[in-house]
Amino acid sequence: MRPILMLPLLLCPLSALCAPAAANDWRTGWGLVRAANPTPQGETISTLASVKLEGAAGYWQARVENHLAGPVQIALRQDAGAAVLPGLPLQTVLPGSASVVVARLQVAPETGRLNLLMDAVPGDPAARPQDVAYQLPFDARRFQVTQAPQGRFSHEDPENRDAVDFALPEGTPVLAARAGKVMQVQGNFSSNGQAPGDRERANFIRILHEDGSMAVYAHLRENGVLVRSGQRVEAGQRIGVSGNTGYSTAPHLHFAVQANTGMQLRSIPVRIVAPQGELRFAREQADAGPAASH
């Protein structure tokens, strides 16, 4: 299982746009995939970043566009066995919404195609997440945790290992658990299920915090995103509406805090404080179903 969006081999004419292709698994970290083509309902998923080659005197330059309102780390390289080009491979971090020339490539005049691969991961690997208390991401005195950290249904991969699933009636207001900037949103999907195609159809919000960590609020209702990319939000602010979209069997809110640890997205343990006090999660037993807690 890859923790990053791996683009397949791109056979790009030097004048063509090299765009990311679809990933295979939702566990690459929420929103790191996109539909290759719009569905009949017009549903699409934004890419993290794209790269295009631009002609210049004596060389071609690779320009990367960051499509998120927060930092993205990219790695650009050639496929195995390709003739070595000075300047590749490379890794760099792009600021939010930036368009940056990351490499100038000397290519023989007779070269008609260039094989490039690009990996992209949200967040800055230089960030150092702090130990802070997160608010409960909804307003309720009583609630149920249907899947705790390290839950066996879908919390075993690095990106979601420390996530928490809260059972919420569809339409429950979702609140920012911590102040930050909206980095990425996806809100046009309506269906749910456990088929492979459902894995990339969860509506979600990604919020960037001041320490570089990122909170993900997922499985929101269709049109249940109430904030826009780049918007500043405060803790306790209403940002969305809970739902049952994507790889899901019942209405719930998937909440995770993630960090880029160097071309790899990982969830991190966080402290969540409810009106009753700080939440404590028991490890799930090997023969038990999803954990429940209040």
Side-chain angles (χ1 to χ4, degrees), residues 154-187:
S154 60
H155 291 179
E156 294 180 314
D157 58 298
E159 296 82 5
N160 298 289
R161 183 170 292 134
D162 294 294
V164 183
D165 286 351
F166 297 97
L168 295 180
E170 190 164 349
T172 301
V174 174
L175 312 178
R178 182 181 174 187
K181 182 173 71 172
V182 179
M183 182 176 180
Q184 185 183 18
V185 298
Q186 176 173 290

Side-chain angles (χ1 to χ4, degrees), residues 1-5 25-33 48 68 71-73 120-125 129 156-162 183-184 204 206 208 212-216 254 256-268:
M1 179 184 303
R2 292 190 181 276
I4 52 180
L5 173 60
D25 198 319
W26 71 297
R27 296 191 181 97
T28 49
W30 300 100
L32 309 197
V33 296
L48 294 179
L68 302 189
V72 167
Q73 184 182 22
V121 177
D124 186 343
E156 294 180 314
D157 58 298
E159 296 82 5
N160 298 289
R161 183 170 292 134
D162 294 294
M183 182 176 180
Q184 185 183 18
F204 71 93
R206 180 185 297 275
L208 175 68
S213 63
M214 300 165 287
V216 175
H254 175 100
V257 177
Q258 299 175 329
N260 178 357
T261 57
M263 293 306 299
Q264 188 171 42
L265 197 63
R266 291 185 179 274
S267 60
I268 57 178

Side-chain angles (χ1 to χ4, degrees), residues 1-26:
M1 179 184 303
R2 292 190 181 276
I4 52 180
L5 173 60
M6 177 65 73
L7 304 187
L9 177 64
L10 301 177
L11 299 178
C12 298
L14 290 179
S15 59
L17 173 70
C18 299
N24 295 320
D25 198 319
W26 71 297

Side-chain angles (χ1 to χ4, degrees), residues 99-185:
S99 175
V100 179
V101 173
V102 298
R104 289 177 170 82
L105 307 173
Q106 297 287 343
V107 180
E110 64 273 13
T111 302
R113 289 180 177 269
L114 180 63
N115 303 339
L116 294 179
L117 297 99
M118 188 178 76
D119 308 325
V121 177
D124 186 343
R128 296 294 179 264
Q130 304 298 311
D131 178 18
V132 300
Y134 286 76
Q135 296 184 15
L136 198 64
F138 52 88
D139 186 11
R141 298 288 306 181
R142 295 182 61 82
F143 53 88
Q144 182 183 32
V145 172
T146 54
Q147 191 175 191
Q150 302 185 37
R152 293 182 297 109
F153 179 68
S154 60
H155 291 179
E156 294 180 314
D157 58 298
E159 296 82 5
N160 298 289
R161 183 170 292 134
D162 294 294
V164 183
D165 286 351
F166 297 97
L168 295 180
E170 190 164 349
T172 301
V174 174
L175 312 178
R178 182 181 174 187
K181 182 173 71 172
V182 179
M183 182 176 180
Q184 185 183 18
V185 298

